[in-house]
Amino acid sequence: MYARRRHAYFALMGTCIALFVLAWGVVRLWSIPVAVGMCVVAMVIPPVAAMVANRRGADDRWWDDPSGDSKSDEWWDELDGKRRRQ
């Protein structure tokens, strides 16, 4: 799952760079408003790429892993409702 997110991130960022380079290297010769529009689209891509790369998958357990501090883990489990106090 991690490899798929990483590939999607690099594809999005590659698209972002390609849009910038094409906008000001090629498209601006024919239409500056279109080049600016391409840059606006490219400006939106990095936050989307970050969200895609950091999305938590169904089998990712990085948040639920115990920290090693038994008191802290017990406290968080109580807050999350995993173990009820008796």
Side-chain angles (χ1 to χ4, degrees), residues 10-41:
F10 284 121
L12 284 167
M13 292 307 289
T15 303
C16 176
I17 291 171
L19 280 172
F20 272 120
V21 170
L22 285 174
W24 297 113
V26 179
V27 176
R28 73 170 169 89
L29 299 173
W30 288 283
S31 174
I32 289 182
V34 172
V36 170
M38 288 173 68
C39 284
V40 168
V41 169

Side-chain angles (χ1 to χ4, degrees), residues 19-84:
L19 280 172
F20 272 120
V21 170
L22 285 174
W24 297 113
V26 179
V27 176
R28 73 170 169 89
L29 299 173
W30 288 283
S31 174
I32 289 182
V34 172
V36 170
M38 288 173 68
C39 284
V40 168
V41 169
M43 180 181 67
V44 173
I45 293 175
V48 172
M51 286 185 272
V52 166
N54 291 314
R55 181 180 62 215
R56 182 177 173 194
D59 38 335
D60 291 343
R61 295 201 40 117
W62 57 271
W63 183 260
D64 295 335
D65 288 342
S67 68
D69 179 14
S70 60
K71 189 150 184 88
S72 174
D73 291 338
E74 180 182 323
W75 185 74
W76 281 107
D77 287 343
E78 181 182 333
L79 283 177
D80 291 338
K82 291 182 181 177
R83 290 187 213 143
R84 298 286 179 207

